[in-house]
Amino acid sequence: MDYESLSLAPMLIGLAGGLALFLHGMTMMSNAMRAMAGSQLNTIMARLARNRFSALLTGVAITSVVQSSTVTTLIAIGFVSAGVLTLAQALAVIMGAAVGSAVTTQIIAFDVSNLSFVLTAAGFGLSLWKARRITSLVGTVIMGLGVLFIGLSMMSGFMAPLRTYQPFLDLMASMTNPLLGILIGALFTAVVQSSTATLGVIIALAAQGLIPLEAGIALVFGANIGTTLTALLAAIGQPRAALHAAIGLVSFKVLLVLIWLPLIGLLERITRAVSPNAEGMALAEQLAYEVPRQVANVHLIVNLSTVLILLPFTHLLAALIVRIIGKGPQPQGEEELAPALNPVLYEMPPLAVDAARREVLHLGERVADLFDAAIPALLDGQPAAIDALHEREHLINRHHTAIFAFIETLLQPELPPDVCRTAVDLAEAADYLESIGDLVDKEIIPLYRRHVERGTEISPQARERLRALAEAVSQELRRALRAVAEADRELARSVLKTKSQLRSLEQAAVEFKEFQVEPQPLDGTQRLLPNALERELAESLRRAYSLIRRFVRVGTGLLRSKTEQGRE
């Protein structure tokens, strides 16, 4: 063949188009499967707290759903930086993602090019059935699988001329040096930011008989190394814990290569033993038949075996990473504003909603602490403590703004209805909590300062009754927070049913003087009613309880139920 007659431009365009279809098919499958999983992902993630084995299975499960080990890894990094996962748990999830990606590679190694158009057409037909949401999503998954295989077939077809292109054949032969293959695989994966895409190209090359198993193994090693770049980039600007998780991924992938690089000969023998063979065919046809499945098996063998070797040492590896990298500057007290609101979670809306719920509860704790500090400072006349409250309320405002901005970005048109409703409820719940903080800062504190200027005093009897009312309101706020945290509607109803008790305490705080006549100065009058400070403070406490009732209704979903509204 005349090498110069080989037109590289059409081949590269076809390869790029095939790769684009391959990635688009994966994206279609990923989005549809995530939509089907919906809030069930919450249950999956909840299992992470158990042990390293459940964390491993979680990584496998999530990667199977999202069809991307990179996405799973980024979520794990986000969870570490948010304090939801320990580094050891995240390492187990990352290892599970590696196993899950190997399962994906097994799927794409099947030669179903004859069925790719059938899958695409059938999936498209099912996806039009919008009346049945699950059926439509299943159709989208099937269509995405068909598009993926069409892209794979396109890449394979456009690379067919390379069978007789000697410079390319020489390049493949040079990959008997595994370091060159590792470098090429790592660079290509770093560019496309998908190890699955790299493996798709490798399998497409193998389907044309263009690469031997030795080269395939080296490229698989390189794909494992190259996929770490995305995680390292994601750790930029994140807390030091995110860097720890990213370094953990790099360590795992490097150890994978270091373990198996000296054992390439053994790996070849194991792979050939467990893979189908085609002895008796011409060399090119034999490679085209054997190597695609062998590449997929290599990926599964090295990933699974390395995970089994390293999984018992995740805690040791995590401690070693922290020791070498260092903990970094630790947030102090109020500087750690909203650690759970990590943008990585936008990839998994149900998990983002869970993060928003945790931060709403975190906000509620801040509001409750402010409330508990404000009332005793006011009743006991502590000017220094009163002055310090304004900065705490300012922090609450900034925390509320962060939550609202996170939820606003999360609310997209494609969001599942149940997730959307919950996110909106959480935003409203955060508004009520922030209003309680505003009430303390803009109503109760100015009320105190105004009456200090006037010299108004609270009688000992009124002080004790107001203190009892404030403690009761604070207790209901804490109970309301617990009800929202545990989604406990019975506890929420009990908070709502204390209205009459709180009303009695309010009346006791402001009405007891109707039966007393206190001596006044000669130029004054006898006082039969509470002074304005006592009355207005009691009214402010009543409004705080009213906001608590609204918070617990919306936070536990009672507000959406007409029957519950009627009952309450």
Side-chain angles (χ1 to χ4, degrees):
M1 178 180 177
D2 183 2
Y3 301 151
E4 296 182 358
S5 68
L6 179 66
S7 180
L8 290 178
M11 186 171 58
L12 292 175
I13 292 172
L15 177 61
L19 182 59
L21 284 176
F22 181 91
L23 292 172
H24 181 59
M26 286 194 63
T27 301
M28 292 172 63
M29 294 172 60
S30 173
N31 291 339
M33 293 179 74
R34 276 188 279 178
M36 282 193 290
S39 59
Q40 292 303 312
L41 290 171
N42 299 337
T43 305
I44 295 173
M45 295 302 291
R47 296 174 184 168
L48 288 171
R50 293 182 182 176
N51 53 57
R52 71 191 76 182
F53 300 104
S54 61
L56 174 71
L57 295 177
T58 301
V60 175
I62 293 178
T63 303
S64 300
V65 170
V66 302
Q67 293 294 297
S68 173
S69 61
T70 300
V71 171
T72 305
T73 299
L74 293 180
I75 292 171
I77 290 173
F79 272 31
V80 170
S81 64
V84 179
L85 296 181
T86 65
L87 180 56
Q89 287 173 323
L91 290 176
V93 173
I94 288 169
M95 292 178 185
V99 177
S101 68
V103 174
T104 303
T105 307
Q106 290 288 323
I107 295 173
I108 65 176
F110 284 105
D111 183 10
V112 293
S113 55
N114 295 330
L115 297 177
S116 57
F117 291 101
V118 175
L119 290 171
T120 304
F124 177 73
L126 289 173
S127 70
L128 296 177
W129 199 349
K130 301 298 183 184
R132 297 287 185 90
R133 179 173 176 270
I134 297 299
T135 301
S136 176
L137 291 172
V138 169
T140 303
V141 171
I142 295 172
M143 181 168 60
L145 188 62
V147 171
L148 181 151
F149 282 121
I150 290 173
L152 195 62
S153 180
M154 277 185 61
M155 288 191 288
S156 179
F158 275 96
M159 286 186 289
L162 293 175
R163 282 185 171 189
T164 54
Y165 188 56
Q166 194 59 42
F168 183 82
L169 297 178
D170 292 340
L171 175 63
M172 291 297 103
S174 69
M175 288 192 188
T176 52
N177 177 358
L179 296 180
L180 178 61
I182 291 171
L183 178 62
I184 293 174
L187 289 175
F188 186 84
T189 304
V191 170
V192 300
Q193 294 194 17
S194 171
S195 60
T196 304
T198 301
L199 290 164
V201 173
I202 296 170
I203 289 171
L205 286 168
Q208 291 297 330
L210 292 171
I211 60 173
L213 177 57
E214 296 87 341
I217 291 174
L219 290 170
V220 167
F221 287 168
N224 272 291
I225 296 293
T227 194
T228 62
L229 177 63
T230 304
L232 289 172
L233 292 175
I236 296 175
Q238 298 289 336
R240 184 62 63 91
L243 178 61
H244 292 159
I247 295 298
L249 171 65
V250 174
S251 302
F252 166 60
K253 296 295 187 178
V254 170
L255 286 171
L256 180 150
V257 174
L258 292 178
I259 289 171
W260 280 104
L261 190 59
L263 303 174
I264 283 183
L266 175 62
L267 181 58
E268 284 184 41
R269 291 192 294 274
I270 294 173
T271 303
R272 294 184 193 280
V274 299
S275 304
N277 61 72
E279 295 180 2
M281 290 186 179
L283 180 59
E285 285 74 14
Q286 182 179 357
L287 290 176
Y289 180 83
E290 294 179 347
V291 178
R293 176 56 52 192
Q294 289 173 348
V295 167
N297 289 342
V298 163
H299 193 220
L300 179 61
I301 290 168
V302 298
N303 283 15
L304 182 58
S305 61
T306 307
V307 166
L308 293 177
I309 292 170
L310 296 180
L311 186 62
F313 304 102
T314 50
H315 291 285
L316 179 61
L317 180 59
L320 184 62
I321 290 170
V322 172
R323 185 177 182 84
I324 293 174
I325 304 300
K327 293 184 178 181
Q330 299 298 308
Q332 298 297 321
E334 296 178 346
E335 293 179 5
E336 192 175 9
L337 184 62
L341 303 183
N342 196 298
V344 171
L345 300 179
Y346 291 138
E347 292 287 342
M348 304 285 275
L351 304 181
V353 168
D354 277 355
R357 182 182 298 278
R358 288 195 300 275
E359 283 305 330
V360 168
L361 295 170
H362 184 193
L363 175 67
E365 291 296 333
R366 280 184 164 143
V367 170
D369 290 343
L370 173 70
F371 187 87
D372 288 347
I375 303 303
L378 186 153
L379 293 176
D380 298 334
Q382 302 172 9
I386 291 289
D387 292 339
L389 295 176
H390 177 72
E391 183 56 34
R392 296 176 67 170
E393 199 276 333
H394 181 62
L395 179 69
I396 288 170
N397 286 342
R398 291 192 292 116
H399 195 167
H400 169 262
T401 299
I403 294 171
F404 197 86
F406 182 84
I407 293 175
E408 187 176 37
T409 304
L410 175 65
L411 291 174
Q412 300 296 326
E414 64 273 13
L415 205 64
D418 58 331
V419 176
C420 184
R421 282 195 301 270
T422 303
V424 171
D425 284 351
L426 289 173
E428 187 176 353
D431 283 343
Y432 289 133
L433 290 173
E434 195 261 347
S435 295
I436 297 173
D438 281 346
L439 186 146
V440 172
D441 186 58
K442 296 181 173 58
E443 188 171 317
I444 294 179
I445 294 176
L447 172 67
Y448 167 78
R449 287 175 173 160
R450 188 165 61 248
H451 286 278
V452 166
E453 293 173 359
R454 295 176 182 175
T456 309
E457 294 184 0
I458 303 176
S459 69
Q461 299 94 330
R463 182 179 292 108
E464 292 309 310
R465 286 168 171 78
L466 287 168
R467 195 187 306 277
L469 174 60
E471 290 175 354
V473 172
S474 175
Q475 179 182 351
E476 295 312 311
L477 175 55
R478 301 283 185 181
R479 294 177 69 223
L481 290 171
R482 191 167 75 252
V484 173
E486 300 171 1
D488 188 340
R489 290 193 172 188
E490 288 303 317
L491 180 56
R493 293 188 191 99
S494 71
V495 172
L496 298 174
K497 289 176 180 177
T498 57
K499 181 178 180 179
S500 59
Q501 300 172 23
L502 269 291
R503 183 61 178 168
S504 298
L505 288 174
E506 180 193 355
Q507 291 173 347
V510 298
E511 293 180 358
F512 73 98
K513 287 194 174 187
E514 292 181 1
F515 305 100
Q516 299 180 18
V517 177
E518 296 182 358
Q520 299 288 330
L522 295 177
D523 59 347
T525 58
Q526 291 181 336
R527 188 155 73 100
L528 302 179
L529 296 174
N531 64 41
L533 174 59
E534 297 160 6
R535 185 178 64 253
E536 292 175 20
L537 179 57
E539 290 175 356
S540 294
L541 293 174
R542 175 176 55 80
R543 281 193 288 274
Y545 173 64
S546 178
L547 290 168
I548 293 169
R549 287 169 56 86
R550 296 176 189 176
F551 163 75
V552 78
R553 275 197 178 108
V554 72
T556 57
L558 289 178
L559 192 63
R560 291 199 302 266
S561 171
K562 291 184 179 180
T563 56
E564 292 292 344
Q565 289 181 25
R567 184 181 303 170
E568 300 300 336

